[in-house]
Amino acid sequence: MYPQFIYYLLQYIKFQESIIYKLLGIILGKSIARGLYDEPINKPYRKLEVDDMPIIEVLEKFDYQELLTNYQAKHGKELKPVVRRKNSKTKVPKNLTCPQCVAPSPFIYANNGDKGQYQCKVCGCLFSKQNRFLKEAVIKCPHCLKTLDRIKERKDFYVFKCRNNTCSYYKRKLKQMSKDEKLRFKQDPQAFKVRYIFREFNLDFEPLAKETPVKPKVDLSRIYVSPHTLGLILTYYINYGLSARKTAALMFDVHSVKISHQTILNYANSVALITKPFVDHYPYELSNSFCGDETYIRVKGRWHYLFFFFDAVKKIILSYPVSSNRDTPSAIKAIGDVLIKFKEIPEDLMFVVDGNPIYILAQHYFAQHDIHFDVHKVIGLTNDDPVSTEYRPLKQIIERLNRTFKGNYRATTGFGSQAGSVSYVTLFVAYFNFLRPHASLEYQVPVVIPGLEKMPNMPARWTKLIELSQDYLVDHQSA
Ligand SMILES: [Zn+2]
Ligand SMILES: [Zn+2]
């Protein structure tokens, strides 16, 4: 069948590509190849064994009706539904459809139905009940290319596992065991990590609990570059607002580090998870006046809103939720994120915003909960209208933030998720608060941390910031 042929051809091309890539790594230099495909050269961060990224295949979508029509035109007869033996144990659920062409269940073979493997007769794609819920992607083991099984659901992520007994990862792990370990493994297989594991994060950054920071389920040992290289990547990607692709190109052209743009996005995501609790729970010294705005960002082809509030005097960003709606609940959340930063809410608290009424509604909401503040509307704060000298610095900050995000979100849509864009924003806020000198603060950073300030350059400051964030998490893990 034609589409099936194309599908397998594509698979084959991808396979060839991966081999070429590996060979290139070997030719280009052992260190690069090792960094990518073997044990990390430099293991800067601690804990937990985290495996390589899986192979994520985005399915090309087909329309089964179109495919059926094409079949008829080509063969002069229609494609019949699957004939099932009456006593067949393997059943295909009636509501099961093909994830690739949406063909209904009569067209689906139960390949080995008891293990949940199916094949579509119309487009030929293989799938399992688990992976079909991934909507667009199939996640495969990087060692054996078999589709991974989703085995557990955790609060922030799903756990996927390669169950293939002939997987090279599995076989290698078994081989590496000492006699003693093999004995213990027989008695208690659960105590050993012998299979390839992947954690798919699906964070939505719900409002953080006021007292305890949320401990991220992520570890930086999966980052197989040196801290300095990671610092460089973050400097280009965040400080200079380069896209992940440009950052990847620059890393290769200038620094001879071969790294994919997807890996850069993954690293950014991991670092964001580590730094977010530090950024959100840092004991900021605040003034009593804050400025807020929303900016448009595009996530997965849809417009979202980034709400940000910052200290108008200290230039510290305190609140940066991403919402699919520009509504009052979002405004409440954004202001709430500022309010939880106070030990005691100041009496003369004021929020400077544009004309959007959602902030007034939010003000009313908080007033009902006995939290009071003023909302000062400044027309022209967030548009082209002129604004008085008093609010010009605020306007400049807002414009800068908007520019940066508008310039960069196009790149982050490659992540295809809200979590990806939130990661970017989190890192931007970390940069803005702790790393970026500010003209209106006499070229000081808004939040001066002595340990950061004495670092010789920006990559080193990023590394130090990650270290401080990890220390913060360790200190608060018992909570
Ligand atoms: Zn299909
Ligand atoms: Zn495998």
Side-chain angles (χ1 to χ4, degrees):
M1 208 188 309
Y2 189 62
Q4 189 175 350
F5 170 70
I6 292 284
Y7 181 71
Y8 286 117
L9 187 65
L10 279 173
Q11 302 276 86
Y12 185 67
I13 290 167
K14 274 183 196 164
F15 178 65
Q16 274 189 322
E17 204 176 51
S18 74
I19 289 173
I20 292 166
Y21 197 58
K22 279 192 191 193
L23 287 173
L24 265 181
I26 291 160
I27 293 160
L28 285 173
K30 270 179 197 155
S31 63
I32 297 170
R34 247 178 41 213
L36 285 170
Y37 300 110
D38 207 341
E39 297 301 309
I41 316 160
N42 190 341
K43 221 176 179 178
Y45 305 107
R46 54 204 144 187
K47 286 171 297 193
L48 199 87
E49 186 185 345
V50 182
D51 297 325
D52 303 342
M53 273 298 288
I55 291 163
I56 296 173
E57 285 179 0
V58 177
L59 286 178
E60 200 186 328
K61 294 281 178 185
F62 300 115
D63 175 355
Y64 81 97
Q65 282 168 323
E66 209 174 284
L67 295 179
L68 288 176
T69 313
N70 291 350
Y71 184 93
Q72 182 145 27
K74 201 175 168 194
H75 297 88
K77 57 177 184 185
E78 64 180 24
L79 184 72
K80 296 250 165 61
V82 177
V83 182
R84 295 190 213 284
R85 269 169 283 146
K86 265 191 185 148
N87 299 326
S88 173
K89 274 184 221 159
T90 53
K91 287 210 173 78
V92 176
K94 278 213 172 71
N95 56 1
L96 192 73
T97 55
C98 168
Q100 188 167 233
C101 75
V102 207
S105 66
F107 288 101
I108 290 165
Y109 295 109
N111 227 14
N112 52 359
D114 53 331
K115 282 184 186 160
Q117 292 285 331
Y118 299 96
Q119 184 166 25
C120 173
K121 192 179 178 183
V122 184
C123 71
C125 85
L126 287 159
F127 62 98
S128 68
K129 262 192 207 171
Q130 281 104 335
N131 75 37
R132 82 173 307 277
F133 295 111
L134 288 171
K135 285 180 190 144
E136 284 139 356
V138 176
I139 300 181
K140 293 187 171 179
C141 172
H143 303 279
C144 68
L145 304 178
K146 288 273 190 319
T147 303
L148 300 177
D149 287 334
R150 196 168 101 182
I151 55 161
K152 266 180 232 159
E153 189 174 343
R154 293 279 185 251
K155 188 176 159 285
D156 293 329
F157 60 90
Y158 297 118
V159 180
F160 288 79
K161 191 181 204 170
C162 175
R163 286 205 165 111
N164 176 15
N165 285 338
T166 60
C167 176
S168 62
Y169 181 99
Y170 177 62
K171 290 206 291 198
R172 195 180 69 227
K173 284 283 177 176
L174 291 183
K175 226 168 123 187
Q176 278 171 354
M177 282 185 192
S178 66
K179 261 190 184 166
D180 200 42
E181 283 172 327
K182 274 179 188 158
L183 267 173
R184 278 196 290 139
F185 177 63
K186 266 190 184 155
Q187 286 159 359
D188 185 13
Q190 297 299 316
F192 290 82
K193 185 185 172 305
V194 287
R195 295 194 184 265
Y196 173 85
I197 293 283
F198 168 65
R199 292 166 185 80
E200 188 197 32
F201 287 88
N202 41 0
L203 299 161
D204 54 6
F205 287 95
E206 282 302 305
L208 292 166
K210 277 192 187 182
E211 303 81 18
T212 44
V214 178
K215 185 189 157 198
K217 315 263 194 322
V218 70
D219 191 87
L220 293 184
S221 65
R222 65 189 277 177
I223 292 182
Y224 291 164
V225 293
S226 69
H228 177 72
T229 304
L230 180 61
L232 271 175
I233 290 167
L234 292 167
T235 303
Y236 295 137
Y237 183 53
I238 303 297
N239 301 37
Y240 289 90
L242 296 179
S243 70
R245 276 177 202 280
K246 279 189 181 168
T247 304
L250 201 144
M251 287 308 293
F252 186 69
D253 289 343
V254 180
H255 302 283
S256 310
V257 175
K258 183 100 180 127
I259 188 163
S260 73
H261 80 281
Q262 185 58 52
T263 303
I264 286 170
L265 293 174
N266 295 341
Y267 286 0
N269 199 32
S270 298
V271 175
L273 289 169
I274 294 285
T275 48
K276 189 169 169 62
F278 183 78
V279 170
D280 288 345
H281 295 267
Y282 190 85
Y284 295 109
E285 277 185 51
L286 303 172
S287 78
N288 58 3
S289 77
F290 297 84
C291 184
D293 186 32
E294 329 88 38
T295 184
Y296 306 95
I297 57 167
R298 218 169 160 81
V299 181
K300 260 189 143 182
R302 276 194 60 214
W303 286 114
H304 283 60
Y305 303 92
L306 168 64
F307 289 74
F308 57 81
F309 274 86
F310 58 89
D311 190 314
V313 180
K314 307 276 176 97
K315 320 293 182 213
I316 299 166
I317 301 175
L318 296 160
S319 171
Y320 48 95
V322 175
S323 168
S324 52
N325 298 303
R326 191 185 203 174
D327 56 9
T328 306
S330 307
I332 289 169
K333 163 105 178 61
I335 290 175
D337 282 356
V338 177
L339 297 176
I340 59 168
K341 305 283 192 298
F342 287 106
K343 280 194 201 87
E344 208 181 330
I345 292 175
E347 279 201 23
D348 50 357
L349 181 61
M350 181 179 69
F351 288 95
V352 181
V353 292
D354 63 7
N356 196 324
I358 55 178
Y359 297 110
I360 305 295
L361 292 168
Q363 182 190 30
H364 295 170
Y365 169 87
F366 282 106
Q368 286 162 27
H369 293 80
D370 210 29
I371 299 166
H372 303 275
F373 51 78
D374 283 336
V375 172
H376 186 82
K377 286 202 277 182
V378 177
I379 306 299
L381 190 63
T382 58
N383 56 37
D384 291 332
D385 294 338
V387 75
S388 64
T389 335
E390 195 189 343
Y391 295 107
R392 224 167 271 161
L394 295 185
K395 192 178 168 93
Q396 277 167 4
I397 295 187
I398 289 170
E399 278 170 356
R400 192 193 149 76
L401 283 169
N402 279 336
R403 253 204 321 275
T404 310
F405 285 120
K406 277 177 188 145
N408 284 285
Y409 264 96
R410 201 175 294 276
T412 62
T413 54
F415 220 104
S417 70
Q418 190 156 339
S421 48
V422 170
S423 289
Y424 186 84
V425 182
T426 303
L427 292 175
F428 183 84
V429 172
Y431 156 63
F432 195 91
N433 288 357
F434 299 106
L435 303 175
R436 180 179 174 269
H438 214 287
S440 69
L441 299 169
E442 291 173 325
Y443 293 96
Q444 282 273 28
V445 295
V447 184
V448 180
I449 301 175
L452 271 183
E453 209 183 19
K454 66 169 194 264
M455 299 314 281
N457 53 41
M458 194 51 75
R461 276 180 211 128
W462 269 111
T463 307
K464 186 72 187 169
L465 187 65
I466 293 167
E467 205 182 288
L468 291 171
S469 302
Q470 285 189 309
D471 291 347
Y472 175 84
L473 284 169
V474 170
D475 292 344
H476 291 80
Q477 262 166 17
S478 52

